[in-house]
């Protein structure tokens, strides 16, 4: 048994250390792919490395080699300044199956993360990645291609959002995520998460869930600048003083910060409501322009189920209307429409 122990006080660049590690067992194709990923990053920190060689000195062909490396107090930054990790620590182990990174901890964008990674030696095999923070959980399998990373069977959780998806991560000058899958949205939790940034959102009082298929193409951290489509359904949703919508169907897409509601249709108090229009998230206040309708809504049932002062309200409501303004400024709302009530009692 032969053991070699190497201790390096300061690590100025990780690629030379990984080069030493990979050169002893890695297929050239895999090594080149990993090297191309790492070449635009700098890593600093304290490193300890251990090489274990096992086998008989009478037959060196039977030698097996394992490599272990520990990184503590490290930092990783991309040379374009767009990615910066601090407080980086992890343990690396490489053997005949591939490279494993375990117990990884780091700080990114003022948030603490933990991670583990498996990078297979066989280029046809799938690797795995687990990533977690207080607001994020991600588990996925992946395969490294020449110019992109293929994402397989990914599962992600964000506050109020769960998703299963697959697709590609394109390694370009501006990394691009291109995925599709299914997601479920907890509207109350999403509202709670973002209400601290805008108190008016809490006035919507959204309760319920939406589930459906989605596609996403763009920078992972710039969703308002990305191309998104979402087709979803919901059994029931409540908002603004428990106004209830049933059998809701939604089709929407976003491109460069503009949200288009292609169709929104739902049952409401024995009638139907619908909406279509756009919302511009690029402009302060979120300008919007919408058209909506109400057909056959039962006012008597509405009055009995909502906290209205006039409990004698009755009739059958029909409405066609358009509305525009700035979403976060109700005083800016303008529009026009036509209203019809049959067999009504209003006051």
């Amino acid at each position: 048994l032969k053991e070699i122990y190497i201790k390096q006080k300061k690590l100025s660049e990780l690629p030379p250390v990984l080069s030493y590690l990979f050169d002893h067992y890695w297929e050239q194709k895999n090594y080149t792919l990993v090297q191309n990923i790492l070449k635009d990053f700098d890593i600093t920190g304290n490193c300890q490395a251990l090489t274990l060689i096992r086998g008989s000195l009478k037959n060196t062909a039977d030698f097996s080699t394992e490599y272990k490396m520990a990184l503590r107090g490290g930092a990783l930054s991309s040379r374009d300044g767009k990615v910066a990790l601090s407080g980086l620590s992890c343990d690396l182990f490489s053997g005949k199956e591939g490279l494993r990174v375990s117990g990884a901890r780091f700080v990114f964008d003022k948030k603490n993360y933990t991670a583990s990674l498996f990078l297979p030696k066989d280029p046809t095999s799938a690797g795995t990645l687990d990533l977690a923070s207080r607001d994020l959980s991600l588990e996925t399998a992946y395969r490294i291609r020449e110019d992109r990373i293929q994402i397989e069977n990914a599962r992600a959780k964000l506050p109020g959002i769960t998703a299963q998806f697959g697709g590609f991560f394109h390694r370009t000058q501006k990394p691009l995520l291109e995925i599709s899958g299914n997601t479920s949205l907890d509207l109350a939790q999403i509202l709670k998460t973002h209400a601290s940034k805008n108190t008016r959102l809490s006035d919507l009082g959204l309760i319920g869930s939406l589930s459906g298929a989605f596609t996403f193409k763009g920078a992972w951290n710039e969703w308002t600048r990305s191309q998104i489509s979402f087709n979803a359904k919901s059994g029931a949703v409540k908002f603004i003083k428990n106004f209830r919508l049933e059998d809701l169907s939604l089709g929407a897409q976003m491109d460069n910060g503009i949200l288009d509601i292609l169709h929104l249709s739902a049952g409401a108090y024995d009638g139907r409501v619908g909406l279509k229009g756009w919302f511009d998230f690029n402009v302060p206040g979120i300008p919007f322009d919408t058209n909506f309708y109400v057909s056959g809504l039962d006012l008597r049932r509405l009055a009995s189920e909502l906290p209205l002062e006039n409990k004698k309200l009755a009739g059958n409501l029909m409405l066609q209307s358009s509305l525009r303004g700035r979403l976060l400024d109700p005083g800016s709302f303008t529009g026009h429409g036509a209203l019809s009530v049959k067999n009504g009692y209003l006051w």
Side-chain angles (χ1 to χ4, degrees):
L1 175 66
K2 182 180 180 183
E3 296 186 0
I4 303 172
Y5 180 72
I6 303 170
K7 183 174 182 180
Q8 188 169 323
K9 290 286 187 181
K10 291 292 182 181
L11 179 64
S12 59
E13 284 192 1
L14 185 61
V17 178
L18 289 183
S19 297
Y20 165 78
L21 187 155
F22 291 155
D23 281 344
H24 285 75
Y25 85 104
W26 210 270
E27 292 184 12
Q28 184 60 37
K29 180 180 179 181
N30 281 25
Y31 168 69
T32 302
L33 291 174
V34 175
Q35 188 182 49
N36 287 337
I37 295 173
L38 293 174
K39 65 182 178 62
D40 296 324
F41 290 85
D42 292 318
I43 297 182
T44 61
N46 297 321
C47 174
Q48 291 182 341
L50 178 67
T51 301
L52 299 177
I53 303 175
R54 295 184 175 91
S56 171
L57 293 176
K58 295 181 179 179
N59 186 2
T60 57
D62 293 336
F63 275 4
S64 65
T65 308
E66 295 178 351
Y67 305 90
K68 297 180 180 179
M69 187 169 71
L71 178 64
R72 299 291 183 267
L76 179 147
S77 60
S78 60
R79 292 173 183 171
D80 60 9
K82 294 182 179 180
V83 177
L85 310 183
S86 61
L88 176 61
S89 64
C90 64
D91 296 319
L92 296 92
F93 171 82
S94 65
K96 62 180 181 180
E97 299 297 329
L99 174 68
R100 294 188 182 277
V101 180
S102 60
R105 296 178 180 274
F106 59 89
V107 177
F108 174 69
D109 196 23
K110 299 181 180 179
K111 294 182 180 179
N112 295 314
Y113 288 84
T114 61
S116 62
L117 171 74
F118 171 60
L119 187 63
K121 181 178 179 180
D122 182 357
T124 63
S125 298
T128 59
L129 169 67
D130 293 343
L131 179 67
S133 70
R134 186 182 65 178
D135 298 327
L136 169 68
S137 173
L138 172 66
E139 300 177 0
T140 185
Y142 69 91
R143 299 176 193 272
I144 298 178
R145 305 305 185 190
E146 294 293 340
D147 59 347
R148 58 186 179 175
I149 297 175
Q150 182 176 342
I151 302 169
E152 302 176 351
N153 303 317
R155 297 182 299 276
K157 290 184 179 180
L158 293 163
I161 303 173
T162 59
Q164 301 82 41
F165 58 91
F168 296 95
F169 180 77
H170 298 272
R171 304 196 308 273
T172 60
Q173 289 184 344
K174 187 176 182 179
L176 179 70
L177 189 63
E178 186 175 6
I179 58 175
S180 62
N182 293 283
T183 185
S184 179
L185 310 180
D186 182 332
L187 300 178
Q189 182 60 48
I190 293 174
L191 201 66
K192 180 180 178 181
T193 301
H194 295 281
S196 60
K197 300 177 182 177
N198 192 322
T199 56
R200 289 188 180 274
L201 290 176
S202 59
D203 296 336
L204 294 176
L206 276 171
I207 300 174
S209 63
L210 285 172
S211 299
F214 77 95
T215 64
F216 179 98
K217 183 177 181 181
W220 64 272
N221 59 345
E222 297 181 359
W223 65 272
T224 58
R225 298 291 182 183
S226 303
Q227 296 176 357
I228 306 171
S229 68
F230 184 42
N231 291 280
K233 292 186 176 182
S234 175
V237 171
K238 291 182 179 181
F239 69 100
I240 305 178
K241 296 184 178 181
N242 287 330
F243 189 95
R244 182 181 177 89
L245 298 177
E246 299 175 328
D247 189 26
L248 185 148
S249 176
L250 169 67
Q253 63 184 28
M254 175 175 279
D255 192 357
N256 285 324
I258 298 178
L259 173 64
D260 281 315
I261 305 296
L262 304 178
H263 74 268
L264 188 158
S265 176
Y269 306 97
D270 297 331
R272 299 290 299 179
V273 299
L275 179 144
K276 64 186 303 183
W278 57 262
F279 299 79
D280 190 348
F281 289 86
N282 297 306
V283 180
I286 312 179
F288 73 95
D289 191 337
T290 60
N291 294 282
F292 65 95
Y293 73 87
V294 178
S295 175
L297 187 145
D298 186 343
L299 293 176
R300 184 184 301 276
R301 183 183 169 192
L302 177 71
S304 67
E305 296 186 16
L306 293 183
L308 302 180
E309 293 183 6
N310 184 6
K311 290 296 184 180
K312 296 182 179 181
L313 194 66
N316 189 280
L317 176 66
M318 307 285 289
L319 173 66
Q320 293 276 351
S321 180
S322 66
L323 187 66
R324 63 183 60 87
R326 295 184 298 276
L327 185 64
L328 302 182
D329 181 13
S332 69
F333 292 2
T334 61
H336 63 273
L339 175 68
S340 170
V341 178
K342 294 182 178 180
N343 303 318
Y345 185 97
L346 302 180
W347 57 81

